[in-house]
Amino acid sequence: MNTENTFRLDGKDIPFKKGDTIMDAALRAGEYIPHLCHNPEFKPHGSCRLCVVDVNGRHQASCTLPAEAGMEVDNSSDAIRQRRELLLQMLFVEGNHTCPACEKSGACQLQAVAYYIGMLSPHLTHFFPKRSIDASHPDIVFYHNRCILCGLCVRASEQVDRKSVFAISGRGIDSKLVFNSPDGKLGGSELEFTDKAVEVCPVGAIMPKHLGYETPVGQRLYDTKPISVVGDVAAHSKPEKPFISDKSHE
Amino acid sequence: MNKPLVNEYGSKEKLIVATAPLCGCFGCHMSLLDIDERILQLVELVEFDRSPITDIKDIGKCDIGLIEGGVANVHNVEDLREFRNNCDILVAVGACAVNGGVPAMRNQFDIKECLEEAYILGIGIENPHVPNDVEIPLLLDKVHPIHEVVRVDYFLPGCPPSADTFWKFLTDLINGNTIDFPYSLIHYD
Ligand code: SF4
Ligand code: SF4
């Protein structure tokens, strides 16, 4: 293999094209690097940091780092696994993730990556922040509790739906998603059930109404196979129209 | 590798296990009993001390303490500390012990709001008043996972952890193996 356009990932030669990040080249080569805020359809965001790898002795986000010939990339050592586990634990204690009471459970990317990493507990002290639920939209419920601020809905709404319904506002623990509507409620926004923004959410934050717990336990996306085999939530989610659609807000 | 809890000659007396339900639904205890006939193998290896299974009320020195449920009131704090003081190995069993679980959903509200909703404002309440008998343990302002109160040695996720998870954990621990759950045994629901 021509080493001028390959780098090494866990000892394997990975070919890359000009402009590729490590993530781009790895995904194309069928190598899984855990990630949450990355979706190959959108410009990288580099915010969840879960795709951290060790490149020539430094920790880097593989979704934003351009691939270079001869790089030595570690994606599987215990040190990297531990770093990712800590990042996941921070995400879990920053929100309110009550998986047994969440309709996304079993098909949630945050959970699936945590299973893949082998996270057995959130370990840190929980913030238990007080977060609201916005049920003003006829077809969609928004749970601030479960939003991990990955920015995928922001990018999808802006770049694909051309509506810019979502933005991230505030700082630190007070950061939250805000909606572009006269009263700040999701119901008054231009969001529609079939929007790309609804499809890309990796967790149970943007949820369809009237469709909860449709898939039996045991048949859900990540019940039997890990995310490294199954792939991302977005690759599987094509929202169907909900049964009841009350268009009263229009 | 952990140190085997039973030595190679099997000369250690049976391991002593205690279990406690704090703020949970008893589902984890039911799931432990769900190991079915393997319970016969288990009682060859362990003896139960304080537990709702034995109805023994006071805990003695134990090798393993299994805690179901989060910490929601002052009794839970006392029980948990007593378990920590008496158990060599303390295990958080199930979602509520691990992260507060469903009971911790009340953390979204003030304690006053919770009590008023349950005893004063709720539908169909007769003689509305907040119970204040001294026998009733005082509620904490928040429900906490047990690792926020005492040091915890192992965590068994799941709501509840399956019987196979219990079995894998206990047999690995007793035999001194590293606890290494396969993908099928790690779940949070
Ligand atoms: S969004 Fe995912 S991690 Fe959060 S509660 Fe729901 S299933 Fe659990
Ligand atoms: S709502 Fe979903 S897609 Fe949007 S930022 Fe939150 S987690 Fe990401």
Side-chain angles (χ1 to χ4, degrees), chain A residues 92 95-112 114-115 143 145-148 201-205 207, chain B residues 188-189:
Chain A
F92 272 91
N96 295 303
H97 293 278
T98 315
C99 297
C102 175
E103 313 90 292
K104 193 75 173 182
S105 196
C108 163
Q109 201 163 323
L110 175 62
Q111 209 185 44
Y115 293 172
Y143 294 86
N145 288 307
R146 306 169 183 165
C147 171
I148 55 169
C201 181
V203 297
M207 293 300 287
Chain B
Y188 302 159
D189 58 4

Side-chain angles (χ1 to χ4, degrees), chain A residues 96 105 119 126 130 222, chain B residues 108 110 147-148 183 188-189:
Chain A
N96 295 303
S105 196
M119 186 190 108
H126 289 67
K130 293 199 175 174
Y222 301 113
Chain B
Q108 290 296 305
D110 296 336
H147 73 265
E148 293 182 9
Y183 183 78
Y188 302 159
D189 58 4

Side-chain angles (χ1 to χ4, degrees), chain A residues 12 33 38 64 74 94 106 116 144 148 158 212-213 224:
Chain A
K12 278 187 216 152
I33 301 179
H38 184 70
T64 52
D74 160 21
E94 258 172 34
Y116 174 82
H144 288 282
I148 55 169
E158 202 173 275
Y213 304 108
T224 51

Side-chain angles (χ1 to χ4, degrees), chain A residues 45 47 147-152 154 166-170 175-178:
Chain A
H45 201 232
S47 60
C147 171
I148 55 169
L149 301 171
C150 71
L152 275 169
V154 179
F166 300 99
I168 296 171
S169 150
S175 308
K176 61 182 276 203
L177 225 59
V178 289

